[in-house]
């Protein structure tokens, strides 16, 4: 009997040893119940590398992805952020483009929530599109080792510009996923601007929005953003110019594209886009501005749009132009240069180190000429303003808020009515301005502020816009805002 008991104990010990050998990993599982099982299978596979790789792939697949909270959307906005759409619903962008490109390329979340500075904390920001300077007299620059060495002296500035550009690309890509007919423009602008603040890492004047989000419709070419109480919605027949900017340490990236749901306007959009590309290609150190305008005009005027069986010519809007960008000055401030959209007699030349935004506005069924009209929403500090005494206390208070929150950057009335007054970093939630319209008008009358009303062609016409920002480096020009979309 004792011998039988000893044999039974030996068999039990052997059974336990076999069990431990078969599964030497802990039996506790995580919330999914898949990770530990897969790890045990990996170890059991032993030297079988192929089996281990398959199990690891399965484990990664079974892991629950961290859910990213969607931004709140006002009721009745017409915007659906939870529909899973990741492709633009409108015309004008590159074929095959998807809005979530940054997820696989840079490991960004969807919707994007990681500030671009943290995404590129351990690596340099992506370089923009490199092009040769225009003009045969610049052919030596791209291959010059000496000029490439000079590029490195400004690498810190280039990195800030590239981070701001990456923020612009990711914000506009996210916006392109939910833009569709029926959405309320005020809510669209708020979503875009809040995402802009989030990804750029809003820090007052050190980082934030470059200027208010423009969403001009049809015959309105530029400088329209909804004021409080404006319930305008985007309709299927509209042609919308979406123009916004980002800035880091005052280095502004300005880029725009056009939204159209009707293929009838494809040629209008293409004229604007190709005109912008022609202007960028012609630009370069020591290139005359009039030569760039001539190149743009030649491309734009080669297009026609068929409307009701009749071919209508596409015109460049001759009194709009591209512009230089300097720190904290979207139009270059004092001494800023303008890039014409038509041939003129301006023999001013581009210079090394300058940064430009070339934006080509096209018009069909219109005059190709814009005037100021409608309610104003955009304002900015007048860089030419002389010292002027301000008598009204409300005006002094408002100007103090503007100086603290925006400096020389453009702003809009919607921002003044936010709880943070336009910047949480600068004001926390104590920045909201009330009963400020009279003070705002007084500052404009004193020429301290410059109002920028919407710019419109004749009613019944349609306008389009594409825009890119580039910098004239010593060896090349870098198109900073270039993306997979346009």
């Amino acid at each position: 009997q004792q011998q039988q008991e000893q044999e039974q104990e030996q068999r039990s010990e052997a059974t336990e040893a076999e069990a431990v050998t078969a599964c030497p990993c802990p039996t506790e599982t995580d919330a999914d119940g898949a990770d530990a099982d897969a790890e045990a299978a990996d170890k059991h596979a032993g030297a079988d590398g192929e089996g281990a790789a398959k199990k690891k792939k399965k484990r990664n697949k079974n892991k629950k992805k961290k859910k990213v909270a969607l931004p709140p959307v006002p009721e009745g906005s017409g915007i659906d952020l939870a529909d899973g759409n990741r492709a633009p619903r409108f015309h004008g962008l590159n074929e095959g483009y998807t809005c979530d490109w940054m997820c696989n390329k840079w490991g960004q979340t969807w919707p994007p929530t990681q500030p671009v500075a943290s995404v590129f904390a351990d690596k340099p920001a992506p370089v923009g599109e490199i092009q040769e300077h225009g003009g045969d007299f610049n052919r030596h620059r791209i291959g010059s080792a000496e000029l490439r060495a000079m590029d490195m002296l400004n690498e810190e500035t280039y990195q800030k510009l590239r981070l701001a550009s990456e923020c612009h690309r990711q914000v506009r890509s996210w916006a392109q996923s939910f833009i569709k007919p029926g959405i309320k423009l005020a809510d669209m602008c708020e979503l875009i601007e809040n995402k802009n603040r989030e990804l750029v890492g809003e820090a007052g004047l050190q980082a934030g929005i470059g200027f208010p989000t423009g969403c001009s419709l049809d015959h309105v070419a530029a400088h329209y953003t909804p004021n409080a109480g404006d319930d305008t919605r985007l309709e299927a027949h509209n042609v919308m110019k979406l123009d916004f900017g980002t800035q880091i340490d005052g280095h502004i990236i300005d880029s725009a594209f056009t939204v159209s749901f009707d293929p009838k306007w494809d040629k209008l959009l293409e004229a604007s886009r190709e005109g912008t590309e022609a202007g960028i290609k012609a630009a370069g150190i020591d290139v005359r501005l009039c030569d760039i305008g001539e190149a743009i005009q030649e491309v734009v005027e080669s297009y026609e749009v068929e409307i009701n069986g009749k071919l209508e010519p596409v015109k460049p809007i001759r009194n709009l132009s591209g512009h230089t960008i300097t720190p904290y000055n979207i139009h270059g401030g004092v001494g800023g240069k303008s890039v014409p959209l038509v041939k003129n007699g301006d023999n001013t030349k581009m210079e090394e180190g300058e940064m430009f935004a070339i934006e080509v506005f096209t018009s069909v069924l219109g005059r190709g000429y814009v005037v100021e009209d409608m309610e104003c929403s955009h304002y900015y500090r007048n860089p030419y303003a002389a010292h002027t005494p301000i008598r009204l206390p409300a005006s002094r208070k408002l100007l103090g808020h503007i100086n603290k929150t925006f400096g020389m950057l453009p702003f809009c009335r919607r921002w003044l009515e936010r709880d943070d007054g336009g910047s949480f970093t600068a004001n926390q939630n104590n920045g909201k301005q009330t009963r400020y319209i009279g003070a705002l008008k007084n500052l404009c009358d004193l020429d301290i502020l410059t109002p920028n009303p919407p710019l419109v062609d004749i009613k019944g016409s349609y306008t389009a816009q594409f825009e890119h920002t580039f910098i004239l480096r010593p060896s090349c020009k870098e198109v900073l805002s270039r993306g997979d979309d346009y």
Side-chain angles (χ1 to χ4, degrees):
Q1 185 177 357
Q2 290 178 353
Q3 185 177 359
Q4 290 176 354
E5 290 175 353
Q6 290 176 356
E7 290 175 355
Q8 187 174 357
E9 289 177 358
Q10 290 175 356
R11 286 196 297 270
S12 298
E13 291 174 357
T15 302
E16 290 175 0
E18 289 175 0
V20 171
T21 303
C23 185
C25 61
T27 58
E28 295 178 359
T29 60
D30 60 2
D32 293 312
D35 286 1
D37 293 341
E39 289 173 3
D42 283 0
K43 294 180 181 180
H44 181 67
D48 188 0
E50 183 179 355
K54 289 181 179 179
K55 296 296 182 180
K56 185 175 182 180
K57 183 176 180 181
K58 181 178 180 181
R59 180 176 72 247
N60 291 336
K61 184 177 179 180
N62 289 336
K63 279 188 177 180
K64 285 184 178 178
K65 292 183 178 180
K66 183 180 179 181
K67 291 185 177 180
V68 178
L70 297 174
V73 178
E75 186 176 354
S77 68
I79 298 173
D80 184 5
L81 299 180
D83 63 0
N85 180 67
R86 300 194 184 188
R89 298 179 172 95
F90 53 88
H91 299 253
L93 304 182
N94 291 332
E95 292 186 10
Y97 161 76
T98 57
C99 304
D100 60 350
W101 57 270
M102 77 288 291
C103 300
N104 292 328
K105 190 171 185 178
W106 302 123
Q108 179 62 277
T109 60
W110 183 263
T113 55
Q114 301 180 74
V116 290
S118 65
V119 173
F120 296 97
D122 57 348
K123 53 183 176 288
V127 178
E129 181 187 54
I130 301 299
Q131 293 188 15
E132 289 190 53
H133 288 293
D136 292 337
F137 49 84
N138 280 321
R139 293 291 176 257
H140 69 285
R141 289 183 173 274
I142 194 127
S144 171
E146 180 182 357
L147 294 177
R148 287 199 300 269
M150 291 176 63
D151 280 338
M152 298 179 65
L153 298 176
N154 298 307
E155 190 62 28
E156 183 178 353
T157 298
Y158 298 158
Q159 282 298 310
K160 292 175 182 178
L161 288 167
R162 290 163 186 164
L163 280 175
S165 300
E166 184 64 23
C167 175
H168 196 287
R169 279 188 290 271
Q170 295 193 16
V171 171
R172 75 189 189 222
S173 295
W174 178 67
Q176 289 159 1
S177 72
F178 65 77
I179 292 175
K180 62 181 180 180
I183 65 174
K184 191 176 175 181
L185 294 183
D187 294 333
M188 177 196 73
C189 290
E190 284 292 328
L191 284 172
I192 290 173
E193 289 164 356
N194 287 336
K195 184 59 66 176
N196 200 344
R197 294 182 177 99
E198 180 183 8
L199 296 192
V200 81
E202 192 270 318
L205 294 176
Q206 281 67 53
I209 301 176
F211 53 87
T213 303
C215 52
S216 306
L217 299 179
D218 301 338
H219 69 291
V220 183
H223 296 170
Y224 166 77
T225 195
N227 286 324
D230 187 339
D231 293 328
T232 303
R233 292 181 181 270
L234 179 64
E235 304 296 343
H237 61 82
N238 289 141
V239 177
M240 178 178 70
K241 283 69 63 182
L242 192 61
D243 188 357
F244 70 95
T246 59
Q247 66 90 10
I248 295 178
D249 284 340
H251 300 292
I252 305 170
I253 296 299
D254 182 3
S255 188
F257 61 95
T258 300
V259 173
S260 169
F261 304 100
D262 190 340
K264 174 171 62 176
W265 307 118
D266 285 356
K267 289 298 180 182
L268 176 67
L269 272 61
E270 186 179 335
S272 172
R273 182 171 175 176
E274 291 304 314
T276 301
E277 296 301 327
I280 294 171
K281 183 178 180 181
I285 296 171
D286 291 332
V287 173
R288 298 185 305 174
L289 297 177
C290 61
D291 294 334
I292 300 173
E294 182 178 7
I296 292 171
Q297 182 178 11
E298 182 180 357
V299 170
V300 171
E301 292 182 348
S302 69
Y303 281 87
E304 295 177 320
V305 177
E306 185 177 349
I307 302 174
N308 298 326
K310 181 181 178 182
L311 291 176
E312 299 287 349
V314 177
K315 306 171 184 176
I317 299 181
R318 60 185 181 275
N319 62 331
L320 291 179
S321 61
H323 50 88
T324 48
I325 301 176
T326 56
Y328 295 104
N329 281 285
I330 185 61
H331 290 154
V334 177
K337 299 176 182 178
S338 296
V339 183
L341 307 188
V342 295
K343 183 180 180 180
N344 63 9
D346 189 352
N347 290 318
T348 305
K349 294 181 178 180
M350 292 182 162
E351 299 177 46
E352 181 180 310
E354 288 182 327
M355 193 161 76
F356 286 86
I358 285 189
E359 49 186 333
V360 173
F361 293 87
T362 55
S363 175
V364 68
L365 298 177
R367 297 170 300 189
Y369 188 91
V370 293
V371 296
E372 294 180 348
D373 194 14
M374 302 168 55
E375 185 180 42
C376 184
S377 56
H378 288 56
Y379 302 84
Y380 67 94
R381 282 288 309 273
N382 180 6
Y384 300 96
H387 177 71
T388 306
I390 302 174
R391 300 182 182 277
L392 296 179
S395 299
R396 290 198 296 269
K397 177 186 174 184
L398 178 61
L399 182 60
H401 175 82
I402 291 169
N403 289 337
K404 174 185 177 183
T405 309
F406 310 116
M408 299 299 292
L409 294 170
F411 62 94
C412 64
R413 284 161 54 177
R414 273 188 301 105
W415 295 357
L416 296 175
E417 297 172 19
R418 289 168 53 94
D419 289 339
D420 60 11
S423 170
F424 183 81
T425 300
N427 308 301
Q428 303 300 306
N429 280 326
N430 300 313
K432 185 174 182 178
Q433 303 298 298
T434 58
R435 299 183 178 180
Y436 63 88
I437 297 297
L440 189 66
K441 184 179 184 304
N442 179 240
L443 292 174
C444 292
D445 292 341
L446 294 173
D447 207 28
I448 294 172
L449 294 182
T450 299
N452 273 145
L455 300 172
V456 306
D457 203 332
I458 60 175
K459 287 187 177 181
S461 64
Y462 290 83
T463 59
Q465 173 198 16
F466 277 87
E467 178 180 19
H468 275 302
T469 297
F470 62 90
I471 187 168
L472 300 177
R473 291 167 44 182
S475 64
C476 62
K477 59 176 174 271
E478 181 177 343
V479 186
L480 295 156
S481 56
R482 178 73 74 202
D484 293 341
D485 48 354
Y486 63 92

